[in-house]
């Protein structure tokens, strides 16, 4: 316990020293760019989400329900990320209880992205490899259950850390602190559990994506399978693998940041941290509408219609075959 506390306090001192930069002294332009970038892509996600809600057929199909869930999840993740970035940039202390809530949402939405990709890939796998059973195996009910399980699994590790902190030192949740994930790791076993959970998590998701990709590619060679649908499905799963790689980069964001804090000057650290925030933490959350939505023949015309604020004369319709 003492070793973990000393490590946590040492990390806190590093963060306190490196983040003690006031907004009027630092690069305000960078903060504005990061904020506007997050707001812009949150707006794109919102328009795409509205597109999915605008047609009953899109609201009822499991693959679009999962896509809508991803859009909401990524938007929340973007907002939490920019909030934590602003707090850290201004060296702002907040109560530990508030940080616990923010961190729980941040960790859950981060894990949700990878799990949602895995479930979406499984849905495409069933649609291509078991087309006759797809409608009975993948329903709105099973999709809803999958989303609930995704959230439960994503919150598990962080919830254990918060509950353990409440048992060990409940009074500390009233104290102000710099808000970052590692402050809730107060015992050595928590760090081991944290690393083990994340290794298992990403190995499991990667295995699911590779399994579904290989089977869909093999199915595409079968004469009984719709070649065009199979081709689109294996391209989608391949793009999911790309998104997963970006999620892994997001996972190592904290490690990169701590390494920069220990080896770089204050000014260089802030510049590198800014680039790390934009391209490692934020960028993966901006790709869902581009990778999944704009490639969909049913969604793309409607999305462009709403982006243009309905200026075209005829509203696009949904084809009978989705």
């Amino acid at each position: 316990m003492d070793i973990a506390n000393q490590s946590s306090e040492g990390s806190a001192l590093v963060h306190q020293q490196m983040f003690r930069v006031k907004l009027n002294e630092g690069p305000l332009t960078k903060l504005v760019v990061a904020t506007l970038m997050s707001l812009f892509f949150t707006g794109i996600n919102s328009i795409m989400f509205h597109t999915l809600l605008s047609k009953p057929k899109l609201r009822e199909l499991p693959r679009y329900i999962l896509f809508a869930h991803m859009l909401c999840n990524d938007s929340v993740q973007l907002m939490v990320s920019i909030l934590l970035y602003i707090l850290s940039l201004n060296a702002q202390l907040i109560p530990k209880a508030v940080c616990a809530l923010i961190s729980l949402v941040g960790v859950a939405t981060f894990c949700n992205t990878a799990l949602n990709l895995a479930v979406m890939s499984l849905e495409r796998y069933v649609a291509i490899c078991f087309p006759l059973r797809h409608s009975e195996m993948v329903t709105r009910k099973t999709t809803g259950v999958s989303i609930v399980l995704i959230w439960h699994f994503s919150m598990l590790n962080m919830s254990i850390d918060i509950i353990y902190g409440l048992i060990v030192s409940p009074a500390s949740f009233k104290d102000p602190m710099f808000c970052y994930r590692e402050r809730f790791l107060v015992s050595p076993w928590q760090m081991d559990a944290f690393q083990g959970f994340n290794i298992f998590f990403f190995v499991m998701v990667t295995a699911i994506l590779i399994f579904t990709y290989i089977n869909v590619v093999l199915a595409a060679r079968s004469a009984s399978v719709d070649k065009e649908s199979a081709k689109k499905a294996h391209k989608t799963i391949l793009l999911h693998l790309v998104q997963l790689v970006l999620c892994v980069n997001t996972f190592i964001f904290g490690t990169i940041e701590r390494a920069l804090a220990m080896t770089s000057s204050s000014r260089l650290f802030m510049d590198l941290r800014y680039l790390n925030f934009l391209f490692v933490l934020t960028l993966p959350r901006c790709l869902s509408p581009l990778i999944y939505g704009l490639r969909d023949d049913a969604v793309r015309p409607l999305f462009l219609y709403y982006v243009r604020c309905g200026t075209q004369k005829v509203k696009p319709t949904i084809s009978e075959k989705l």
Side-chain angles (χ1 to χ4, degrees):
M1 179 73 71
D2 292 338
I3 295 175
N5 286 333
Q6 289 173 8
S7 176
S8 179
E9 292 301 323
S11 181
L13 290 174
V14 171
H15 278 72
Q16 181 175 2
Q17 178 183 4
M18 301 309 296
F19 293 151
R20 186 65 66 180
V21 179
K22 300 301 180 182
L23 288 176
N24 59 353
E25 297 174 357
L28 182 60
T29 302
K30 292 182 178 180
L31 177 61
V32 172
V33 170
T35 303
L36 290 179
M37 181 177 176
S38 295
L39 292 175
F40 172 75
F41 282 104
T42 301
I44 294 296
N45 287 353
S46 300
I47 296 174
M48 186 70 76
F49 183 73
H50 174 72
T51 300
L52 296 178
L53 292 182
S54 65
K55 294 293 183 179
K57 287 186 179 181
L58 297 181
R59 294 198 300 265
E60 294 171 359
L61 292 176
R63 71 174 183 268
Y64 294 116
I65 294 174
L66 290 169
F67 180 41
H69 174 250
M70 175 181 284
L71 292 172
C72 292
N73 181 80
D74 287 354
S75 297
V76 173
Q77 174 67 20
L78 282 170
M79 293 297 98
V80 171
S81 297
I82 195 63
L83 173 61
L84 291 174
Y85 181 73
I86 292 173
L87 290 174
S88 65
L89 188 64
N90 201 33
Q92 182 65 49
L93 297 170
I94 62 174
K96 188 174 181 179
V98 176
C99 178
L101 178 61
I102 296 174
S103 298
L104 181 63
V105 174
V107 170
T109 51
F110 163 67
C111 294
N112 282 349
T113 299
L115 287 174
N116 208 81
L117 290 173
V119 175
M120 292 171 76
S121 297
L122 286 171
E123 187 276 330
R124 288 292 81 201
Y125 161 73
V126 173
I128 299 302
C129 298
F130 305 98
L132 298 180
R133 300 188 58 193
H134 178 259
S135 59
E136 63 180 79
M137 294 175 64
V138 184
T139 64
R140 293 182 64 183
K141 181 178 179 180
T142 58
T143 303
V145 171
S146 298
I147 292 174
V148 171
L149 292 176
I150 285 172
W151 277 94
H152 276 78
F153 189 77
S154 298
M155 293 190 295
L156 179 62
N157 187 249
M158 187 66 196
S159 297
I160 292 174
D161 290 335
I162 293 174
I163 293 172
Y164 181 74
L166 284 169
I167 294 173
V168 172
S169 181
S172 67
F173 277 72
K174 298 179 182 178
D175 299 335
M177 62 177 287
F178 293 102
C179 189
Y180 54 95
R181 172 70 174 89
E182 289 76 5
R183 291 304 302 272
F184 295 92
L185 303 177
V186 297
S187 182
W189 69 265
Q190 287 179 279
M191 178 57 73
D192 294 336
F194 172 71
Q195 293 175 344
F197 176 85
N198 284 297
I199 291 172
F200 170 77
F201 175 81
F202 283 106
V203 168
M204 177 187 69
V205 173
T206 302
I208 290 173
L209 291 178
I210 293 175
F211 168 79
T212 54
Y213 177 77
I214 292 174
N215 280 275
V216 168
V217 170
L218 293 176
R221 300 176 181 177
S222 171
S224 61
V225 172
D226 184 344
K227 301 293 185 180
E228 186 64 27
S229 297
K231 183 178 180 181
K232 287 183 178 180
H234 81 71
K235 284 185 177 179
T236 298
I237 296 173
L238 184 61
L239 289 171
H240 287 175
L241 282 166
V242 174
Q243 281 185 285
L244 182 65
V245 171
L246 293 174
C247 287
V248 173
N249 289 335
T250 305
F251 169 66
I252 64 174
F253 173 76
T255 303
I256 297 173
E257 184 178 290
R258 286 191 295 273
L260 293 176
M262 297 298 294
T263 60
S264 305
S265 66
S266 177
R267 177 63 61 183
L268 178 60
F269 169 78
M270 295 307 297
D271 291 339
L272 294 176
R273 184 173 186 268
Y274 174 72
L275 295 175
N276 200 27
F277 173 80
L278 284 184
F279 296 107
V280 177
L281 191 61
T282 304
L283 184 61
R285 310 299 166 183
C286 307
L287 298 179
S288 295
L290 304 178
I291 287 179
Y292 203 82
L294 293 182
R295 293 178 60 249
D296 192 290
D297 295 334
V299 174
R300 183 176 59 255
L302 276 171
F303 173 74
L304 295 176
Y305 173 82
Y306 288 116
V307 167
R308 296 165 183 162
C309 301
T311 53
Q312 65 188 75
K313 294 182 179 180
V314 181
K315 186 175 181 180
T317 58
I318 300 295
S319 124
E320 292 297 324
K321 184 180 179 180
L322 284 175

